[in-house]
Amino acid sequence: MTFITSFRQIFKKKTPSCKKAKTADSVMSSSQVVIRSVATDSSGSSRNGYQFKFEDGRRFHANDEISYFLPNDDDETDRVHQQHWILRYALQCNYHAPVTEMLEEGINVLDSGCGPATWVFEMGETYQRSTFHGVDAACVFPEDIKPANVELVIGNVAKNIPYPDENFHYVHQRLLFLGLSQSDWDGALKEIYRVLKPGGYIELVEPDLLDLHNVGPLLKKLQDTLSSIVIEKDMPTKVGSQFVDLLEKTGYVNIVLKIIPLKLNHTNKAGDLLWDDYHHGTINMRTVLAKVNHEWEDEDLFKEFVNNCGVEAKTNETCINYYVCYAQKPLE
Ligand SMILES: C[S@@+](CC[C@H](N)C(=O)[O-])C[C@H]1O[C@@H](n2cnc3c(N)ncnc32)[C@H](O)[C@@H]1O
């Protein structure tokens, strides 16, 4: 059994909620193993000092310098984990930059904002001569079991990626559009530039979630509510369309941008899977969205609304554009 196979199987098992756990580790019986060592006491502080806060029954990070506003409890962590497999299926790959040969030979790679580190783990398993590092603002990744070529650390990628200059051949960053303000994007791209070796590659992947294609009135209402939160936090609403300018401004060269439309709840299995993730992610954002649109404080009403959004997406053949962009730090 490969590490990834065992990790997939392990991850299917539910861990006790960190909120409820009294001990530092979620320990399971016999052949089962500890899979999450981030557990909190009732004050929300974890074994390693990392702080969480609880609102409306969901767990969030408690770092004032981080703009990310999605929860980071077990259910959301499971969703982000599963989202990786869905995106790999829909995009038919884990990366787009021309780094395959380098990965096979052995390079140093960073995943910026790695979440539960699913991309890092799978890449680490696939390219065993390379070394993979993941950095995330929240301690949502497994700390104790990981492949020998994987290291995971906590850090704010917009302020300081905790690695020396010119350390990585390739930096990958995906799905941080609800985490970085406009100035955070500038900071993160500068930090990535600093830690990249000359000639090293950056790859950015973000969906255009706030500008869906063939959007109907229900999804538009959801999109507008989310947009108002994003704007209030000074985050870009269409960061994918800014990629080329942002990368050029920071000094990157050889920029390649691909826009890939993915189907939402229609046409094929990828469409169905993408809807599963969109549905789950939206349900997990309810308490945040309800602060703007109070009718969604009613959980049942919101669930019905989101289900109707799914029917609308199918009828209208709604699509989400994924922006994939890679570039290089100049050699000189
Ligand atoms: C939707 S998850 C994506 C995880 C992973 N990149 C993936 O594609 O599976 C977004 C992650 O970005 C992290 N994040 C948000 N702002 C961050 C920041 N300023 N520095 C580091 N991580 C950040 C969050 O904690 C969260 O784990």
Side-chain angles (χ1 to χ4, degrees), residues 263-302:
K263 297 163 174 52
L264 193 61
N265 210 20
H266 60 93
T267 309
N268 52 26
K269 187 175 165 193
D272 295 347
L273 290 170
L274 207 72
W275 171 253
D276 286 349
D277 178 60
Y278 187 96
H279 179 272
H280 195 167
T282 306
I283 294 292
N284 283 357
M285 265 192 282
R286 182 187 65 81
T287 58
V288 178
L289 295 165
K291 286 185 182 148
V292 177
N293 188 338
H294 298 294
E295 66 183 304
W296 293 340
E297 282 162 11
D298 182 328
E299 199 172 343
D300 291 337
L301 189 141
F302 186 65

mmCIF file of all heavy atoms in Angstrom, residues 263-302:
data_model
loop_
_atom_site.group_PDB
_atom_site.id
_atom_site.type_symbol
_atom_site.label_atom_id
_atom_site.label_comp_id
_atom_site.label_asym_id
_atom_site.label_seq_id
_atom_site.Cartn_x
_atom_site.Cartn_y
_atom_site.Cartn_z
ATOM 1 N N LYS A 263 -17.259 23.010 -15.762
ATOM 2 C CA LYS A 263 -18.729 22.951 -15.719
ATOM 3 C C LYS A 263 -19.218 22.788 -14.289
ATOM 4 O O LYS A 263 -18.591 22.071 -13.501
ATOM 5 C CB LYS A 263 -19.208 21.781 -16.583
ATOM 6 C CG LYS A 263 -18.846 21.969 -18.049
ATOM 7 C CD LYS A 263 -18.948 20.676 -18.814
ATOM 8 C CE LYS A 263 -18.723 20.882 -20.297
ATOM 9 N NZ LYS A 263 -17.505 21.609 -20.641
ATOM 10 N N LEU A 264 -20.318 23.459 -13.969
ATOM 11 C CA LEU A 264 -20.877 23.398 -12.617
ATOM 12 C C LEU A 264 -22.219 22.671 -12.659
ATOM 13 O O LEU A 264 -23.221 23.218 -13.114
ATOM 14 C CB LEU A 264 -21.047 24.829 -12.072
ATOM 15 C CG LEU A 264 -21.329 24.975 -10.580
ATOM 16 C CD1 LEU A 264 -20.209 24.410 -9.717
ATOM 17 C CD2 LEU A 264 -21.564 26.438 -10.214
ATOM 18 N N ASN A 265 -22.187 21.405 -12.252
ATOM 19 C CA ASN A 265 -23.409 20.592 -12.112
ATOM 20 C C ASN A 265 -24.089 20.237 -13.438
ATOM 21 O O ASN A 265 -25.323 20.158 -13.492
ATOM 22 C CB ASN A 265 -24.423 21.306 -11.193
ATOM 23 C CG ASN A 265 -25.295 20.307 -10.442
ATOM 24 O OD1 ASN A 265 -24.927 19.141 -10.303
ATOM 25 N ND2 ASN A 265 -26.437 20.761 -9.964
ATOM 26 N N HIS A 266 -23.288 20.048 -14.475
ATOM 27 C CA HIS A 266 -23.900 19.590 -15.733
ATOM 28 C C HIS A 266 -22.883 18.881 -16.619
ATOM 29 O O HIS A 266 -21.679 18.920 -16.362
ATOM 30 C CB HIS A 266 -24.552 20.757 -16.489
ATOM 31 C CG HIS A 266 -23.598 21.852 -16.859
ATOM 32 N ND1 HIS A 266 -22.957 21.906 -18.061
ATOM 33 C CD2 HIS A 266 -23.185 22.941 -16.169
ATOM 34 C CE1 HIS A 266 -22.199 22.994 -18.098
ATOM 35 N NE2 HIS A 266 -22.315 23.639 -16.966
ATOM 36 N N THR A 267 -23.385 18.206 -17.611
ATOM 37 C CA THR A 267 -22.640 17.625 -18.737
ATOM 38 C C THR A 267 -21.863 16.352 -18.410
ATOM 39 O O THR A 267 -21.930 15.383 -19.153
ATOM 40 C CB THR A 267 -21.691 18.659 -19.391
ATOM 41 O OG1 THR A 267 -22.437 19.831 -19.682
ATOM 42 C CG2 THR A 267 -21.052 18.121 -20.652
ATOM 43 N N ASN A 268 -21.055 16.362 -17.333
ATOM 44 C CA ASN A 268 -20.229 15.169 -17.100
ATOM 45 C C ASN A 268 -19.921 15.004 -15.610
ATOM 46 O O ASN A 268 -20.359 15.807 -14.772
ATOM 47 C CB ASN A 268 -18.931 15.247 -17.924
ATOM 48 C CG ASN A 268 -18.206 16.565 -17.686
ATOM 49 O OD1 ASN A 268 -18.361 17.178 -16.630
ATOM 50 N ND2 ASN A 268 -17.432 16.999 -18.654
ATOM 51 N N LYS A 269 -19.122 13.953 -15.328
ATOM 52 C CA LYS A 269 -18.820 13.641 -13.925
ATOM 53 C C LYS A 269 -18.060 14.802 -13.254
ATOM 54 O O LYS A 269 -18.285 15.112 -12.080
ATOM 55 C CB LYS A 269 -17.984 12.349 -13.877
ATOM 56 C CG LYS A 269 -17.758 11.847 -12.482
ATOM 57 C CD LYS A 269 -17.036 10.508 -12.502
ATOM 58 C CE LYS A 269 -16.482 10.198 -11.115
ATOM 59 N NZ LYS A 269 -15.540 9.091 -11.140
ATOM 60 N N ALA A 270 -17.155 15.434 -14.011
ATOM 61 C CA ALA A 270 -16.405 16.553 -13.436
ATOM 62 C C ALA A 270 -17.371 17.667 -13.006
ATOM 63 O O ALA A 270 -17.193 18.291 -11.952
ATOM 64 C CB ALA A 270 -15.393 17.090 -14.456
ATOM 65 N N GLY A 271 -18.410 17.901 -13.822
ATOM 66 C CA GLY A 271 -19.419 18.910 -13.483
ATOM 67 C C GLY A 271 -20.141 18.558 -12.188
ATOM 68 O O GLY A 271 -20.360 19.416 -11.324
ATOM 69 N N ASP A 272 -20.497 17.268 -12.054
ATOM 70 C CA ASP A 272 -21.188 16.813 -10.824
ATOM 71 C C ASP A 272 -20.279 16.991 -9.606
ATOM 72 O O ASP A 272 -20.700 17.478 -8.559
ATOM 73 C CB ASP A 272 -21.565 15.331 -10.917
ATOM 74 C CG ASP A 272 -22.587 15.079 -12.020
ATOM 75 O OD1 ASP A 272 -23.170 16.056 -12.530
ATOM 76 O OD2 ASP A 272 -22.782 13.898 -12.370
ATOM 77 N N LEU A 273 -19.008 16.586 -9.770
ATOM 78 C CA LEU A 273 -18.073 16.655 -8.639
ATOM 79 C C LEU A 273 -17.810 18.103 -8.234
ATOM 80 O O LEU A 273 -17.733 18.435 -7.053
ATOM 81 C CB LEU A 273 -16.749 15.970 -9.007
ATOM 82 C CG LEU A 273 -16.812 14.449 -9.139
ATOM 83 C CD1 LEU A 273 -15.516 13.900 -9.730
ATOM 84 C CD2 LEU A 273 -17.081 13.807 -7.778
ATOM 85 N N LEU A 274 -17.676 18.957 -9.255
ATOM 86 C CA LEU A 274 -17.407 20.363 -8.948
ATOM 87 C C LEU A 274 -18.586 20.975 -8.190
ATOM 88 O O LEU A 274 -18.404 21.793 -7.276
ATOM 89 C CB LEU A 274 -17.127 21.156 -10.223
ATOM 90 C CG LEU A 274 -16.239 22.366 -9.974
ATOM 91 C CD1 LEU A 274 -14.812 21.966 -9.680
ATOM 92 C CD2 LEU A 274 -16.274 23.331 -11.147
ATOM 93 N N TRP A 275 -19.808 20.558 -8.559
ATOM 94 C CA TRP A 275 -20.970 21.055 -7.824
ATOM 95 C C TRP A 275 -20.934 20.556 -6.375
ATOM 96 O O TRP A 275 -21.224 21.315 -5.444
ATOM 97 C CB TRP A 275 -22.294 20.666 -8.504
ATOM 98 C CG TRP A 275 -23.437 21.000 -7.593
ATOM 99 C CD1 TRP A 275 -24.210 20.140 -6.880
ATOM 100 C CD2 TRP A 275 -23.882 22.322 -7.235
ATOM 101 N NE1 TRP A 275 -25.108 20.832 -6.101
ATOM 102 C CE2 TRP A 275 -24.929 22.176 -6.298
ATOM 103 C CE3 TRP A 275 -23.480 23.610 -7.608
ATOM 104 C CZ2 TRP A 275 -25.598 23.264 -5.737
ATOM 105 C CZ3 TRP A 275 -24.142 24.699 -7.048
ATOM 106 C CH2 TRP A 275 -25.178 24.524 -6.129
ATOM 107 N N ASP A 276 -20.566 19.278 -6.176
ATOM 108 C CA ASP A 276 -20.465 18.752 -4.800
ATOM 109 C C ASP A 276 -19.578 19.666 -3.954
ATOM 110 O O ASP A 276 -19.899 19.997 -2.820
ATOM 111 C CB ASP A 276 -19.848 17.342 -4.779
ATOM 112 C CG ASP A 276 -20.829 16.292 -5.284
ATOM 113 O OD1 ASP A 276 -22.016 16.623 -5.451
ATOM 114 O OD2 ASP A 276 -20.388 15.152 -5.524
ATOM 115 N N ASP A 277 -18.438 20.055 -4.538
ATOM 116 C CA ASP A 277 -17.502 20.895 -3.781
ATOM 117 C C ASP A 277 -18.078 22.299 -3.582
ATOM 118 O O ASP A 277 -17.995 22.867 -2.485
ATOM 119 C CB ASP A 277 -16.158 20.973 -4.509
ATOM 120 C CG ASP A 277 -15.210 21.886 -3.756
ATOM 121 O OD1 ASP A 277 -14.933 21.573 -2.577
ATOM 122 O OD2 ASP A 277 -14.797 22.919 -4.295
ATOM 123 N N TYR A 278 -18.664 22.861 -4.636
ATOM 124 C CA TYR A 278 -19.248 24.211 -4.536
ATOM 125 C C TYR A 278 -20.344 24.218 -3.469
ATOM 126 O O TYR A 278 -20.424 25.129 -2.626
ATOM 127 C CB TYR A 278 -19.823 24.610 -5.900
ATOM 128 C CG TYR A 278 -20.308 26.039 -5.967
ATOM 129 C CD1 TYR A 278 -19.493 27.042 -6.471
ATOM 130 C CD2 TYR A 278 -21.580 26.389 -5.520
ATOM 131 C CE1 TYR A 278 -19.942 28.356 -6.524
ATOM 132 C CE2 TYR A 278 -22.031 27.693 -5.576
ATOM 133 C CZ TYR A 278 -21.202 28.668 -6.081
ATOM 134 O OH TYR A 278 -21.643 29.970 -6.121
ATOM 135 N N HIS A 279 -21.180 23.187 -3.498
ATOM 136 C CA HIS A 279 -22.287 23.060 -2.542
ATOM 137 C C HIS A 279 -21.741 22.984 -1.110
ATOM 138 O O HIS A 279 -22.158 23.732 -0.216
ATOM 139 C CB HIS A 279 -23.091 21.800 -2.893
ATOM 140 C CG HIS A 279 -24.235 21.531 -1.978
ATOM 141 N ND1 HIS A 279 -24.101 20.796 -0.826
ATOM 142 C CD2 HIS A 279 -25.539 21.908 -2.028
ATOM 143 C CE1 HIS A 279 -25.272 20.728 -0.203
ATOM 144 N NE2 HIS A 279 -26.160 21.391 -0.915
ATOM 145 N N HIS A 280 -20.763 22.098 -0.907
ATOM 146 C CA HIS A 280 -20.198 21.893 0.430
ATOM 147 C C HIS A 280 -19.527 23.189 0.935
ATOM 148 O O HIS A 280 -19.731 23.615 2.075
ATOM 149 C CB HIS A 280 -19.188 20.736 0.353
ATOM 150 C CG HIS A 280 -18.793 20.181 1.688
ATOM 151 N ND1 HIS A 280 -18.126 19.001 1.822
ATOM 152 C CD2 HIS A 280 -18.954 20.648 2.953
ATOM 153 C CE1 HIS A 280 -17.905 18.759 3.103
ATOM 154 N NE2 HIS A 280 -18.389 19.753 3.806
ATOM 155 N N GLY A 281 -18.739 23.808 0.067
ATOM 156 C CA GLY A 281 -18.038 25.045 0.447
ATOM 157 C C GLY A 281 -19.021 26.155 0.793
ATOM 158 O O GLY A 281 -18.818 26.916 1.750
ATOM 159 N N THR A 282 -20.114 26.241 0.030
ATOM 160 C CA THR A 282 -21.108 27.300 0.282
ATOM 161 C C THR A 282 -21.818 27.049 1.611
ATOM 162 O O THR A 282 -22.027 27.988 2.396
ATOM 163 C CB THR A 282 -22.125 27.353 -0.882
ATOM 164 O OG1 THR A 282 -21.383 27.496 -2.101
ATOM 165 C CG2 THR A 282 -23.079 28.522 -0.740
ATOM 166 N N ILE A 283 -22.175 25.798 1.871
ATOM 167 C CA ILE A 283 -22.816 25.468 3.159
ATOM 168 C C ILE A 283 -21.871 25.846 4.304
ATOM 169 O O ILE A 283 -22.287 26.413 5.325
ATOM 170 C CB ILE A 283 -23.187 23.958 3.209
ATOM 171 C CG1 ILE A 283 -24.278 23.628 2.178
ATOM 172 C CG2 ILE A 283 -23.592 23.537 4.625
ATOM 173 C CD1 ILE A 283 -25.652 24.219 2.441
ATOM 174 N N ASN A 284 -20.573 25.568 4.120
ATOM 175 C CA ASN A 284 -19.611 25.885 5.182
ATOM 176 C C ASN A 284 -19.412 27.383 5.375
ATOM 177 O O ASN A 284 -18.899 27.815 6.406
ATOM 178 C CB ASN A 284 -18.264 25.199 4.902
ATOM 179 C CG ASN A 284 -18.322 23.722 5.243
ATOM 180 O OD1 ASN A 284 -19.341 23.238 5.740
ATOM 181 N ND2 ASN A 284 -17.252 22.991 4.989
ATOM 182 N N MET A 285 -19.799 28.183 4.382
ATOM 183 C CA MET A 285 -19.663 29.641 4.498
ATOM 184 C C MET A 285 -20.937 30.297 5.031
ATOM 185 O O MET A 285 -21.005 31.518 5.145
ATOM 186 C CB MET A 285 -19.368 30.237 3.113
ATOM 187 C CG MET A 285 -17.908 30.436 2.830
ATOM 188 S SD MET A 285 -17.701 31.446 1.367
ATOM 189 C CE MET A 285 -17.994 30.300 0.083
ATOM 190 N N ARG A 286 -21.974 29.488 5.309
ATOM 191 C CA ARG A 286 -23.289 30.075 5.632
ATOM 192 C C ARG A 286 -23.207 31.139 6.734
ATOM 193 O O ARG A 286 -23.737 32.237 6.589
ATOM 194 C CB ARG A 286 -24.293 28.988 6.048
ATOM 195 C CG ARG A 286 -25.685 29.558 6.336
ATOM 196 C CD ARG A 286 -26.626 28.512 6.903
ATOM 197 N NE ARG A 286 -26.210 28.017 8.208
ATOM 198 C CZ ARG A 286 -26.428 28.625 9.364
ATOM 199 N NH1 ARG A 286 -27.106 29.762 9.388
ATOM 200 N NH2 ARG A 286 -25.989 28.114 10.494
ATOM 201 N N THR A 287 -22.524 30.811 7.838
ATOM 202 C CA THR A 287 -22.548 31.749 8.967
ATOM 203 C C THR A 287 -21.884 33.076 8.582
ATOM 204 O O THR A 287 -22.263 34.129 9.087
ATOM 205 C CB THR A 287 -21.855 31.136 10.206
ATOM 206 O OG1 THR A 287 -20.511 30.802 9.859
ATOM 207 C CG2 THR A 287 -22.597 29.893 10.695
ATOM 208 N N VAL A 288 -20.907 33.015 7.695
ATOM 209 C CA VAL A 288 -20.228 34.235 7.243
ATOM 210 C C VAL A 288 -21.155 35.021 6.308
ATOM 211 O O VAL A 288 -21.332 36.236 6.446
ATOM 212 C CB VAL A 288 -18.906 33.861 6.508
ATOM 213 C CG1 VAL A 288 -18.200 35.092 5.993
ATOM 214 C CG2 VAL A 288 -17.995 33.042 7.414
ATOM 215 N N LEU A 289 -21.801 34.310 5.371
ATOM 216 C CA LEU A 289 -22.714 34.967 4.415
ATOM 217 C C LEU A 289 -23.933 35.554 5.133
ATOM 218 O O LEU A 289 -24.438 36.619 4.748
ATOM 219 C CB LEU A 289 -23.179 33.950 3.358
ATOM 220 C CG LEU A 289 -22.092 33.388 2.438
ATOM 221 C CD1 LEU A 289 -22.599 32.151 1.697
ATOM 222 C CD2 LEU A 289 -21.618 34.437 1.442
ATOM 223 N N ALA A 290 -24.357 34.864 6.207
ATOM 224 C CA ALA A 290 -25.568 35.315 6.930
ATOM 225 C C ALA A 290 -25.343 36.628 7.657
ATOM 226 O O ALA A 290 -26.314 37.315 8.012
ATOM 227 C CB ALA A 290 -26.006 34.233 7.919
ATOM 228 N N LYS A 291 -24.073 36.995 7.862
ATOM 229 C CA LYS A 291 -23.813 38.299 8.498
ATOM 230 C C LYS A 291 -24.180 39.435 7.551
ATOM 231 O O LYS A 291 -24.439 40.561 7.975
ATOM 232 C CB LYS A 291 -22.340 38.410 8.893
ATOM 233 C CG LYS A 291 -22.041 37.552 10.112
ATOM 234 C CD LYS A 291 -20.633 37.734 10.597
ATOM 235 C CE LYS A 291 -20.409 36.800 11.773
ATOM 236 N NZ LYS A 291 -19.077 36.319 11.883
ATOM 237 N N VAL A 292 -24.188 39.136 6.240
ATOM 238 C CA VAL A 292 -24.565 40.140 5.239
ATOM 239 C C VAL A 292 -26.040 39.973 4.871
ATOM 240 O O VAL A 292 -26.792 40.937 4.808
ATOM 241 C CB VAL A 292 -23.686 39.991 3.970
ATOM 242 C CG1 VAL A 292 -24.113 40.980 2.891
ATOM 243 C CG2 VAL A 292 -22.219 40.161 4.326
ATOM 244 N N ASN A 293 -26.432 38.727 4.618
ATOM 245 C CA ASN A 293 -27.816 38.461 4.226
ATOM 246 C C ASN A 293 -28.496 37.661 5.362
ATOM 247 O O ASN A 293 -28.370 36.444 5.443
ATOM 248 C CB ASN A 293 -27.814 37.650 2.925
ATOM 249 C CG ASN A 293 -29.215 37.503 2.370
ATOM 250 O OD1 ASN A 293 -30.187 37.635 3.105
ATOM 251 N ND2 ASN A 293 -29.314 37.231 1.096
ATOM 252 N N HIS A 294 -29.208 38.386 6.235
ATOM 253 C CA HIS A 294 -29.679 37.798 7.497
ATOM 254 C C HIS A 294 -30.693 36.674 7.309
ATOM 255 O O HIS A 294 -30.853 35.839 8.189
ATOM 256 C CB HIS A 294 -30.229 38.892 8.413
ATOM 257 C CG HIS A 294 -29.177 39.898 8.773
ATOM 258 N ND1 HIS A 294 -28.083 39.570 9.538
ATOM 259 C CD2 HIS A 294 -29.030 41.199 8.434
ATOM 260 C CE1 HIS A 294 -27.300 40.642 9.658
ATOM 261 N NE2 HIS A 294 -27.848 41.640 8.992
ATOM 262 N N GLU A 295 -31.377 36.639 6.150
ATOM 263 C CA GLU A 295 -32.353 35.559 5.963
ATOM 264 C C GLU A 295 -31.660 34.186 6.003
ATOM 265 O O GLU A 295 -32.272 33.178 6.324
ATOM 266 C CB GLU A 295 -33.145 35.740 4.665
ATOM 267 C CG GLU A 295 -32.301 35.598 3.422
ATOM 268 C CD GLU A 295 -33.073 35.846 2.123
ATOM 269 O OE1 GLU A 295 -34.076 35.189 1.879
ATOM 270 O OE2 GLU A 295 -32.621 36.728 1.350
ATOM 271 N N TRP A 296 -30.341 34.159 5.721
ATOM 272 C CA TRP A 296 -29.603 32.892 5.702
ATOM 273 C C TRP A 296 -29.170 32.444 7.098
ATOM 274 O O TRP A 296 -28.464 31.445 7.241
ATOM 275 C CB TRP A 296 -28.416 32.979 4.738
ATOM 276 C CG TRP A 296 -28.863 33.112 3.304
ATOM 277 C CD1 TRP A 296 -30.091 32.785 2.803
ATOM 278 C CD2 TRP A 296 -28.108 33.607 2.204
ATOM 279 N NE1 TRP A 296 -30.150 33.053 1.450
ATOM 280 C CE2 TRP A 296 -28.940 33.557 1.054
ATOM 281 C CE3 TRP A 296 -26.800 34.098 2.056
ATOM 282 C CZ2 TRP A 296 -28.514 33.974 -0.205
ATOM 283 C CZ3 TRP A 296 -26.373 34.504 0.795
ATOM 284 C CH2 TRP A 296 -27.227 34.444 -0.322
ATOM 285 N N GLU A 297 -29.588 33.205 8.111
ATOM 286 C CA GLU A 297 -29.392 32.695 9.484
ATOM 287 C C GLU A 297 -30.222 31.430 9.681
ATOM 288 O O GLU A 297 -29.913 30.594 10.509
ATOM 289 C CB GLU A 297 -29.787 33.762 10.516
ATOM 290 C CG GLU A 297 -28.693 34.817 10.672
ATOM 291 C CD GLU A 297 -29.186 36.085 11.330
ATOM 292 O OE1 GLU A 297 -30.321 36.094 11.864
ATOM 293 O OE2 GLU A 297 -28.441 37.088 11.286
ATOM 294 N N ASP A 298 -31.285 31.293 8.902
ATOM 295 C CA ASP A 298 -32.129 30.089 8.939
ATOM 296 C C ASP A 298 -31.434 29.001 8.093
ATOM 297 O O ASP A 298 -31.413 29.072 6.859
ATOM 298 C CB ASP A 298 -33.508 30.440 8.355
ATOM 299 C CG ASP A 298 -34.461 29.258 8.395
ATOM 300 O OD1 ASP A 298 -33.999 28.107 8.278
ATOM 301 O OD2 ASP A 298 -35.669 29.511 8.531
ATOM 302 N N GLU A 299 -30.896 28.001 8.793
ATOM 303 C CA GLU A 299 -30.073 26.984 8.127
ATOM 304 C C GLU A 299 -30.862 26.205 7.069
ATOM 305 O O GLU A 299 -30.359 25.950 5.970
ATOM 306 C CB GLU A 299 -29.544 26.029 9.202
ATOM 307 C CG GLU A 299 -28.349 25.241 8.757
ATOM 308 C CD GLU A 299 -27.725 24.448 9.904
ATOM 309 O OE1 GLU A 299 -28.007 24.748 11.085
ATOM 310 O OE2 GLU A 299 -26.961 23.525 9.595
ATOM 311 N N ASP A 300 -32.123 25.847 7.408
ATOM 312 C CA ASP A 300 -32.916 25.049 6.461
ATOM 313 C C ASP A 300 -33.222 25.843 5.197
ATOM 314 O O ASP A 300 -33.152 25.336 4.081
ATOM 315 C CB ASP A 300 -34.228 24.590 7.123
ATOM 316 C CG ASP A 300 -33.946 23.563 8.195
ATOM 317 O OD1 ASP A 300 -32.881 22.914 8.117
ATOM 318 O OD2 ASP A 300 -34.768 23.432 9.118
ATOM 319 N N LEU A 301 -33.567 27.122 5.414
ATOM 320 C CA LEU A 301 -33.871 27.987 4.263
ATOM 321 C C LEU A 301 -32.630 28.115 3.358
ATOM 322 O O LEU A 301 -32.730 28.046 2.132
ATOM 323 C CB LEU A 301 -34.295 29.359 4.781
ATOM 324 C CG LEU A 301 -34.856 30.341 3.760
ATOM 325 C CD1 LEU A 301 -36.021 31.102 4.405
ATOM 326 C CD2 LEU A 301 -33.814 31.343 3.298
ATOM 327 N N PHE A 302 -31.455 28.243 4.000
ATOM 328 C CA PHE A 302 -30.228 28.390 3.217
ATOM 329 C C PHE A 302 -29.931 27.108 2.422
ATOM 330 O O PHE A 302 -29.577 27.174 1.241
ATOM 331 C CB PHE A 302 -29.050 28.730 4.134
ATOM 332 C CG PHE A 302 -27.779 29.028 3.378
ATOM 333 C CD1 PHE A 302 -27.694 30.136 2.551
ATOM 334 C CD2 PHE A 302 -26.665 28.197 3.477
ATOM 335 C CE1 PHE A 302 -26.530 30.420 1.834
ATOM 336 C CE2 PHE A 302 -25.504 28.464 2.764
ATOM 337 C CZ PHE A 302 -25.442 29.572 1.948
#
